[in-house]
Amino acid sequence: MKRKALLWLSLVTMLMFSAFGGSVCAKGEGPFTIAVVVKSEGNPFFEAAGVGCREALEELGAGDELVFLGPEVPTVEGQIEIVSALVAQGVDGISISANEPNALVPACQRAEKAGIAVTSFDSFVSADGSQLFVNQADMEQVGRIQIQMMAEILDYKGQFAILSAGPTMANQNTWIAWMLEELAKPEYADMELAAIVYGMDEREKSYSEAMGLFRSYPDLRGIVSPTTVGMAAVGRAIKDAGLDGKVFLTGLGLPSEMAAYIREGICPRMALWNPIDLGYMATWVTRLLVSGEIKGEVGETFNVGRMGEREIVMDPVLGKVVLLGPPFVFNQENIDDWADVY
Ligand code: RAM
């Protein structure tokens, strides 16, 4: 409640600031205000992304301002309120990782009507709600690789569960759809998916969902968690329940949070992309749309600073996409190189 009050206080302050001749300028002139709206406050994945957002603006625009916001808990209602306040404030660009892809569309469309560039990153808004999606990695590959890692860890047999984030989150849902496709292959015939549960990208809820799985499925051998929040919570739950060596974990984890579990063999391998680079790219692309340096059209190529050249491509499901790159697999051999990076 206190944090929410603070959030609103800072929004009100910004509103007053722009009303009295603050830094919000018309397109093409700069300096600009770019808002990044994340799934929720306090998620270390987005805190790392925020480092990249700031880096991109420092490189791109003298005097540009970053507004970095998320609801206290990962709800789409909280994000709709934030987007509406940002429209009233008159920011120049908004990049959002959505808690639900469709409910945000009207608020995003109002933003676009007001001349604000709107992109999504990490978890997409439906194509008619944003100009383009900055995609962290090929969705199919991210889905399939998680089943492949679980199968290798479990030697292709036994019962496992999926512990996801929120049931409306488009990135997790798309990855899970690809996991199920992969699981249908004959090589996984001796593996059984016992349940899919949702920890809502909240630490304690994810932890108690993991404990619930251990109770409901005494033969459980593995958990796949396609969320960094879920991964860290399941690692802790496995240790607390004394299930090291009996239940194994894989999915999408932050090396800084998962290093100990990887070294101990609780999570022999996991995947992710660089969240700092993702924040950098999302902010960079949004800023280029704001300044008019790119139009957001399919086939356009442009430079994304230290990430090099990228092209806007059309994806049948995601709409217009700019791709970060392939996911990276972390294991005992390489975790020391990454544990302090993000
Ligand atoms: C969590 C969030 C985020 C997702 C990562 C893998 O931090 O759900 O959206 O991309 O995990």
Side-chain angles (χ1 to χ4, degrees):
M1 206 53 217
K2 216 169 161 194
R3 284 172 109 171
K4 201 168 182 190
L6 269 178
L7 171 80
W8 282 106
L9 187 67
S10 62
L11 277 175
V12 169
T13 317
M14 287 184 303
L15 275 168
M16 286 168 61
F17 187 59
S18 35
F20 293 107
S23 67
V24 180
C25 293
K27 273 196 178 189
E29 287 166 27
F32 299 112
T33 302
I34 308 292
V36 174
V37 182
V38 299
K39 284 181 172 178
S40 62
E41 286 180 337
N43 177 342
F45 175 89
F46 291 112
E47 280 165 10
V51 172
C53 299
R54 271 178 282 278
E55 248 182 89
L57 277 196
E58 273 160 26
E59 283 176 38
L60 265 173
D64 279 5
E65 189 191 345
L66 176 74
V67 180
F68 194 84
L69 296 168
E72 208 175 338
V73 288
T75 64
V76 73
E77 292 78 14
Q79 290 188 314
I80 292 169
E81 275 181 39
I82 289 174
V83 170
S84 305
L86 291 169
V87 173
Q89 182 201 335
V91 297
D92 300 292
I94 299 175
S95 192
I96 184 160
S97 168
N99 286 320
E100 200 272 351
N102 301 315
L104 268 160
V105 169
C108 289
Q109 287 179 340
R110 277 195 297 279
E112 285 179 49
K113 269 202 194 106
I116 299 169
V118 181
T119 66
S120 55
F121 76 104
D122 178 62
S123 190
F124 52 90
V125 175
S126 294
D128 41 3
S130 85
Q131 282 166 265
L132 53 83
F133 172 56
V134 178
N135 189 9
Q136 53 274 54
D138 179 76
M139 298 268 170
E140 174 174 352
Q141 196 186 0
V142 174
R144 291 191 190 278
I145 201 176
Q146 293 180 75
I147 293 298
Q148 289 157 4
M149 291 189 296
M150 185 84 278
E152 287 160 14
I153 294 167
L154 301 185
D155 204 15
Y156 291 81
K157 47 182 178 284
Q159 205 180 44
F160 75 102
I162 295 173
L163 190 149
S164 188
T168 62
M169 293 179 185
N171 55 345
Q172 272 89 16
N173 284 348
T174 311
W175 297 325
I176 291 173
W178 284 113
M179 284 189 211
L180 301 181
E181 287 268 329
E182 179 69 14
L183 196 60
K185 288 184 179 172
E187 58 259 46
Y188 306 110
D190 294 335
M191 285 175 64
E192 184 206 340
L193 174 60
I196 302 178
V197 296
Y198 298 91
M200 303 308 295
D201 260 356
E202 294 180 60
R203 284 191 186 93
E204 292 318 312
K205 167 97 173 121
S206 304
Y207 179 88
S208 62
E209 286 294 333
M211 289 297 193
L213 286 171
F214 305 149
R215 275 193 302 275
S216 306
Y217 304 98
D219 294 332
L220 197 76
R221 297 192 59 221
I223 294 182
V224 179
S225 188
T227 143
T228 58
V229 179
M231 284 288 274
V234 177
R236 187 160 58 93
I238 291 176
K239 284 209 82 151
D240 289 355
L243 290 170
D244 328 23
K246 286 194 187 132
V247 177
F248 297 91
L249 167 64
T250 193
L252 307 174
L254 273 178
S256 55
E257 294 189 299
M258 297 303 294
Y261 304 119
I262 290 182
R263 291 186 190 117
E264 289 168 42
I266 290 175
C267 172
R269 72 203 67 170
M270 63 173 198
L272 200 69
W273 40 89
N274 186 325
I276 303 172
D277 289 349
L278 181 63
Y280 180 90
M281 184 170 274
T283 306
W284 190 286
V285 170
T286 309
R287 170 59 160 79
L288 293 192
L289 284 168
V290 164
S291 62
E293 284 160 84
I294 61 170
K295 301 271 165 277
E297 278 157 18
V298 175
E300 252 181 302
T301 55
F302 49 93
N303 212 275
V304 186
R306 62 174 162 78
M307 308 297 308
E309 197 174 83
R310 288 296 190 282
E311 182 180 354
I312 300 176
V313 297
M314 183 55 92
D315 180 284
V317 178
L318 305 170
K320 290 181 207 167
V321 164
V322 181
L323 183 69
L324 182 68
F328 184 82
V329 174
F330 301 90
N331 55 32
Q332 282 176 352
E333 273 85 67
N334 62 29
I335 191 64
D336 292 343
D337 301 337
W338 294 98
D340 295 331
V341 184
Y342 53 83

